mmCIF file of all heavy atoms in Angstrom:
data_model
loop_
_atom_site.group_PDB
_atom_site.id
_atom_site.type_symbol
_atom_site.label_atom_id
_atom_site.label_comp_id
_atom_site.label_asym_id
_atom_site.label_seq_id
_atom_site.Cartn_x
_atom_site.Cartn_y
_atom_site.Cartn_z
ATOM 1 N N PHE A 142 -3.414 -0.186 -12.330
ATOM 2 C CA PHE A 142 -4.528 -1.038 -12.553
ATOM 3 C C PHE A 142 -4.524 -2.193 -11.600
ATOM 4 O O PHE A 142 -3.396 -2.691 -11.175
ATOM 5 C CB PHE A 142 -4.619 -1.585 -13.932
ATOM 6 C CG PHE A 142 -4.661 -0.479 -14.949
ATOM 7 C CD1 PHE A 142 -3.451 -0.046 -15.529
ATOM 8 C CD2 PHE A 142 -5.819 0.196 -15.322
ATOM 9 C CE1 PHE A 142 -3.424 1.023 -16.462
ATOM 10 C CE2 PHE A 142 -5.815 1.251 -16.235
ATOM 11 C CZ PHE A 142 -4.568 1.699 -16.786
ATOM 12 N N GLY A 143 -5.673 -2.721 -11.200
ATOM 13 C CA GLY A 143 -5.749 -3.980 -10.473
ATOM 14 C C GLY A 143 -5.664 -5.142 -11.437
ATOM 15 O O GLY A 143 -5.728 -4.934 -12.710
ATOM 16 N N GLY A 144 -5.445 -6.315 -10.965
ATOM 17 C CA GLY A 144 -5.506 -7.517 -11.778
ATOM 18 C C GLY A 144 -4.293 -7.873 -12.635
ATOM 19 O O GLY A 144 -4.398 -8.609 -13.570
ATOM 20 N N GLN A 145 -3.203 -7.170 -12.420
ATOM 21 C CA GLN A 145 -1.998 -7.449 -13.201
ATOM 22 C C GLN A 145 -1.194 -8.585 -12.555
ATOM 23 O O GLN A 145 -1.406 -8.990 -11.440
ATOM 24 C CB GLN A 145 -1.138 -6.207 -13.280
ATOM 25 C CG GLN A 145 -1.788 -5.039 -13.851
ATOM 26 C CD GLN A 145 -0.852 -3.817 -13.895
ATOM 27 O OE1 GLN A 145 -0.066 -3.671 -14.829
ATOM 28 N NE2 GLN A 145 -0.900 -2.968 -12.877
ATOM 29 N N SER A 146 -0.218 -9.073 -13.408
ATOM 30 C CA SER A 146 0.559 -10.299 -12.916
ATOM 31 C C SER A 146 1.736 -9.818 -12.040
ATOM 32 O O SER A 146 2.484 -8.843 -12.350
ATOM 33 C CB SER A 146 1.071 -11.062 -14.073
ATOM 34 O OG SER A 146 0.052 -11.523 -14.872
ATOM 35 N N PHE A 147 1.972 -10.531 -11.020
ATOM 36 C CA PHE A 147 3.018 -10.393 -10.003
ATOM 37 C C PHE A 147 4.392 -10.490 -10.764
ATOM 38 O O PHE A 147 4.616 -11.390 -11.540
ATOM 39 C CB PHE A 147 2.945 -11.546 -9.088
ATOM 40 C CG PHE A 147 3.835 -11.522 -7.875
ATOM 41 C CD1 PHE A 147 3.560 -10.747 -6.796
ATOM 42 C CD2 PHE A 147 5.028 -12.282 -7.924
ATOM 43 C CE1 PHE A 147 4.384 -10.734 -5.684
ATOM 44 C CE2 PHE A 147 5.865 -12.257 -6.811
ATOM 45 C CZ PHE A 147 5.562 -11.510 -5.700
ATOM 46 N N ILE A 148 5.314 -9.549 -10.446
ATOM 47 C CA ILE A 148 6.652 -9.528 -11.019
ATOM 48 C C ILE A 148 7.613 -10.151 -9.987
ATOM 49 O O ILE A 148 7.976 -9.444 -9.034
ATOM 50 C CB ILE A 148 7.058 -8.119 -11.472
ATOM 51 C CG1 ILE A 148 6.094 -7.549 -12.499
ATOM 52 C CG2 ILE A 148 8.505 -8.097 -11.909
ATOM 53 C CD1 ILE A 148 6.279 -6.091 -12.869
ATOM 54 N N PRO A 149 8.013 -11.409 -10.211
ATOM 55 C CA PRO A 149 8.744 -12.143 -9.137
ATOM 56 C C PRO A 149 10.118 -11.572 -8.872
ATOM 57 O O PRO A 149 10.724 -11.736 -7.786
ATOM 58 C CB PRO A 149 8.859 -13.526 -9.682
ATOM 59 C CG PRO A 149 8.533 -13.515 -11.124
ATOM 60 C CD PRO A 149 7.713 -12.241 -11.369
ATOM 61 N N GLU A 150 10.727 -10.744 -9.811
ATOM 62 C CA GLU A 150 12.065 -10.195 -9.597
ATOM 63 C C GLU A 150 12.064 -9.280 -8.371
ATOM 64 O O GLU A 150 13.152 -8.947 -7.813
ATOM 65 C CB GLU A 150 12.474 -9.425 -10.814
ATOM 66 C CG GLU A 150 12.938 -10.331 -12.029
ATOM 67 C CD GLU A 150 11.821 -11.027 -12.727
ATOM 68 O OE1 GLU A 150 10.665 -10.714 -12.546
ATOM 69 O OE2 GLU A 150 12.146 -11.959 -13.482
ATOM 70 N N VAL A 151 10.880 -8.847 -7.953
ATOM 71 C CA VAL A 151 10.860 -7.899 -6.838
ATOM 72 C C VAL A 151 11.172 -8.570 -5.518
ATOM 73 O O VAL A 151 11.562 -7.945 -4.485
ATOM 74 C CB VAL A 151 9.502 -7.124 -6.765
ATOM 75 C CG1 VAL A 151 9.490 -6.178 -5.623
ATOM 76 C CG2 VAL A 151 9.291 -6.402 -8.082
ATOM 77 N N LEU A 152 11.019 -9.916 -5.484
ATOM 78 C CA LEU A 152 11.272 -10.658 -4.252
ATOM 79 C C LEU A 152 12.657 -10.346 -3.679
ATOM 80 O O LEU A 152 12.837 -10.238 -2.438
ATOM 81 C CB LEU A 152 11.049 -12.119 -4.487
ATOM 82 C CG LEU A 152 9.626 -12.533 -4.745
ATOM 83 C CD1 LEU A 152 9.572 -13.989 -5.302
ATOM 84 C CD2 LEU A 152 8.793 -12.411 -3.432
ATOM 85 N N GLU A 153 13.667 -10.227 -4.537
ATOM 86 C CA GLU A 153 14.982 -9.968 -4.102
ATOM 87 C C GLU A 153 15.092 -8.610 -3.289
ATOM 88 O O GLU A 153 15.774 -8.453 -2.314
ATOM 89 C CB GLU A 153 15.981 -9.942 -5.248
ATOM 90 C CG GLU A 153 16.443 -11.280 -5.648
ATOM 91 C CD GLU A 153 16.994 -12.108 -4.561
ATOM 92 O OE1 GLU A 153 17.813 -11.651 -3.736
ATOM 93 O OE2 GLU A 153 16.502 -13.313 -4.458
ATOM 94 N N LYS A 154 14.284 -7.684 -3.811
ATOM 95 C CA LYS A 154 14.244 -6.327 -3.186
ATOM 96 C C LYS A 154 13.616 -6.391 -1.808
ATOM 97 O O LYS A 154 13.967 -5.712 -0.856
ATOM 98 C CB LYS A 154 13.462 -5.302 -4.067
ATOM 99 C CG LYS A 154 14.379 -4.535 -4.901
ATOM 100 C CD LYS A 154 13.728 -3.284 -5.496
ATOM 101 C CE LYS A 154 12.429 -3.533 -6.197
ATOM 102 N NZ LYS A 154 12.088 -2.342 -7.075
#
Side-chain angles (χ1 to χ4, degrees):
F142 304 94
Q145 303 180 82
S146 300
F147 186 84
I148 299 174
E150 284 73 13
V151 181
L152 291 167
E153 280 307 312
K154 264 196 307 195

